[in-house]
């Protein structure tokens, strides 16, 4: 097999995440076929490596027989340049939500290019293995400590990262992002690291950020970001009874001439201490509603909450109210860790072996 140019090198995955490995069906089939034929499996760079042996135990969740084939999957296969356009981010089988890192200044059609050295944030809608300019790229979430006095410039989103501090496994992605602070006109690259972790259920992207101690944690929700075109984006922010915040609305765009509309509900796990939003004029204000083509919000949190800030973004093709209902029924009090472990269920339509009902196709 010829070696692809710009292909990512094989990486060492930490034991913590290796237990939860899952990735593209294409990579799994290639490895299993190689093992069945007694051949060496191709690595991401085109070289060959020994086929790992899948472990079997009575309690493992890979299949009903107990073999965990997810340990054979490398989600970084075909993520460099324009070779494959696969995504390393978190997704569930047949999921509507596919949360993926967005590299900058360049990306592939899923939003992530292994050749890039900076990540802007994470988007919740992406298409795996497509051509064109890519589809989705909606609901960009950017962890930051930059103080903004107007609509954040996308150029200020860039966080340096290293592949040595990046891991992916089935339904799970984690990376260390270089911390940034300063102002919108003078961004400072700090020495600390923002630990970013993501996982996904059928309709929900679960994102967790741990900021360096003493920093001023913020999340930018950029509703204008889209890989093809943005035709409308709305938001309505509400403080919930427990002090956390909910942002709901719709996003509309197009992909290769076909228009689409999705509704969303984003919920924090800790109180928001400040919320400033922007509309088409680019001015930041205390407005809790926006409607336009270039809209978004900057959410501020207390320093003491910076080590564990979570945002759950649920999608619905029906309505924002349905997204709220789906988030409550699909994830409820589910933690990020338990959501990630559910991705190893023996059935792609059933989130777990327990009492939770099987999820139907996204809708």
């Amino acid at each position: 097999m010829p070696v692809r140019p710009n292909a990512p090198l094989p990486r060492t995955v930490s034991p913590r995440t290796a237990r939860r490995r899952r990735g593209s069906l294409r990579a799994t089939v290639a490895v299993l076929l190689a093992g069945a034929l007694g051949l060496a499996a191709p690595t991401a760079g085109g070289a060959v490596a020994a086929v790992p042996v899948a472990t079997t135990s009575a309690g493992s969740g890979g299949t009903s027989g107990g073999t965990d084939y997810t340990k054979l999957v490398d989600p970084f296969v075909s993520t460099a340049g324009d070779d494959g356009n696969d995504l390393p981010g978190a997704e569930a089988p047949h999921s509507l939500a596919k949360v993926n890192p967005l590299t900058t200044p360049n990306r592939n059609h899923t939003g992530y290019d292994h050749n890039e050295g900076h990540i802007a944030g994470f988007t919740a809608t992406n298409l795996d293995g497509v051509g064109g300019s890519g589809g989705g790229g909606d609901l960009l979430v950017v962890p930051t400590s930059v103080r903004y006095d107007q609509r954040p410039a996308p150029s200020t989103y860039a966080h340096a990262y290293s592949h040595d501090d990046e891991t992916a496994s089935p339904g799970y992605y984690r990376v260390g992002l270089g911390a940034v602070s300063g102002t919108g006109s003078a961004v400072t690259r700090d020495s600390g690291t923002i630990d970013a972790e993501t996982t996904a259920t059928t309709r929900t992207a679960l994102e967790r950020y741990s900021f360096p101690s003493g920093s001023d944690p913020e999340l930018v929700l950029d509703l204008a970001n889209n890989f093809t075109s943005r035709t409308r984006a709305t938001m309505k922010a509400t403080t919930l009874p427990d002090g956390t915040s909910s942002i709901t609305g719709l996003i509309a765009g197009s992909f290769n001439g076909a228009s689409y509309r999705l509704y969303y509900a984003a919920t924090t796990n800790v109180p928001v201490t400040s919320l400033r939003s922007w509309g088409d004029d680019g001015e930041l204000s205390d407005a809790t509603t926006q409607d336009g083509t270039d809209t978004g919000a900057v959410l501020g949190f207390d320093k003491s909450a910076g080590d564990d800030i979570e945002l759950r973004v649920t999608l619905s093709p029906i309505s924002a109210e349905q997204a709220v209902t789906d988030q409550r029924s699909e994830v409820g009090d589910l933690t990020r860790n338990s959501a990630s472990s559910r991705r190893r269920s023996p059935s792609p339509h059933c989130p777990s072996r327990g009492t939770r009902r099987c999820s139907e196709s996204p809708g």
Side-chain angles (χ1 to χ4, degrees), residues 161-167 173-177 193-195:
Y161 79 106
S162 168
H163 295 305
D164 293 333
D165 194 18
E166 179 187 39
T167 56
Y173 175 88
R174 184 216 152 265
V175 67
L177 302 176
T193 299
I194 301 171
D195 193 68

Side-chain angles (χ1 to χ4, degrees), residues 137-156:
D138 301 306
L139 299 160
L140 172 62
V141 178
V142 182
T144 187
S145 293
V146 175
R147 300 184 305 277
Y148 293 105
D149 56 11
Q150 59 183 353
R151 191 250 195 266
S155 60
T156 66

Side-chain angles (χ1 to χ4, degrees), residues 33 49 81 90 122 151 167 169 213 227 308:
L33 180 60
F122 296 84
R151 191 250 195 266
T167 56
S169 59
S213 177
F227 292 162
D308 186 7

Side-chain angles (χ1 to χ4, degrees), residues 43-348:
T43 66
V48 295
V51 178
V53 177
T55 59
T56 303
S57 64
S60 63
T63 69
S64 57
T67 300
D68 186 4
Y69 292 111
T70 63
K71 292 185 177 182
L72 305 178
V73 178
D74 181 1
F76 290 98
V77 168
S78 299
T79 61
D82 198 16
D83 298 322
N85 287 287
D86 287 335
L87 60 86
E91 58 181 305
H94 314 295
S95 62
L96 185 61
K98 302 177 188 294
V99 56
N100 199 45
L102 174 63
T103 55
T104 184
N106 299 309
R107 61 174 178 83
N108 71 9
H109 299 163
T110 72
Y112 175 93
D113 185 346
H114 186 274
N115 296 328
E116 294 296 314
H118 292 80
I119 289 175
F122 296 84
T123 55
T125 62
N126 300 280
L127 296 180
D128 202 356
V130 300
S133 61
D138 301 306
L139 299 160
L140 172 62
V141 178
V142 182
T144 187
S145 293
V146 175
R147 300 184 305 277
Y148 293 105
D149 56 11
Q150 59 183 353
R151 191 250 195 266
S155 60
T156 66
Y157 296 162
H159 301 76
Y161 79 106
S162 168
H163 295 305
D164 293 333
D165 194 18
E166 179 187 39
T167 56
S169 59
Y172 176 83
Y173 175 88
R174 184 216 152 265
V175 67
L177 302 176
V180 292
S181 61
T183 65
S185 58
V187 176
T188 302
R189 312 297 174 183
D190 296 336
S191 59
T193 299
I194 301 171
D195 193 68
E197 296 178 281
T198 67
T199 189
T201 57
T202 302
R203 302 169 182 82
T204 303
L206 294 94
E207 308 173 26
R208 177 185 177 272
Y209 302 98
S210 180
F211 289 78
S213 177
S215 62
D216 296 307
E218 292 182 334
L219 295 181
V220 174
L221 178 60
D222 192 330
L223 300 175
N225 194 78
N226 179 269
F227 292 162
T228 306
S229 69
R230 168 67 66 236
T231 57
R232 188 184 178 195
T234 72
M235 60 157 284
K236 177 182 179 181
T238 305
T239 301
L240 301 177
D242 62 357
T244 61
S245 292
S246 170
I247 299 177
T248 58
L250 69 84
I251 47 174
S254 64
F255 172 56
N256 278 2
S259 61
Y260 69 91
R261 173 180 291 193
L262 281 175
Y263 300 88
Y264 70 92
T267 308
T268 65
N269 67 324
V270 293
V272 172
T273 57
S274 67
L275 186 150
R276 294 172 298 155
S277 66
W278 75 85
D280 289 335
D281 61 2
E283 298 297 324
L284 283 178
S285 71
D286 295 330
T288 56
T289 61
Q290 295 286 353
D291 189 340
T293 57
D294 184 356
T295 63
V298 180
L299 312 180
F301 302 88
D302 191 85
K303 288 179 182 288
S304 62
D307 64 339
D308 186 7
I309 294 176
E310 184 176 299
L311 189 69
R312 301 179 175 196
V313 183
T314 303
L315 306 170
S316 171
I318 300 172
S319 67
E321 292 76 17
Q322 185 64 45
V324 172
T325 299
D326 289 342
Q327 183 174 117
R328 186 181 305 114
S329 62
E330 185 176 79
V331 296
D333 294 328
L334 191 70
T335 66
R336 176 191 49 76
N337 288 338
S338 56
S340 180
S341 65
R342 271 173 41 174
R343 300 284 58 79
R344 301 195 313 172
S345 169
S347 168

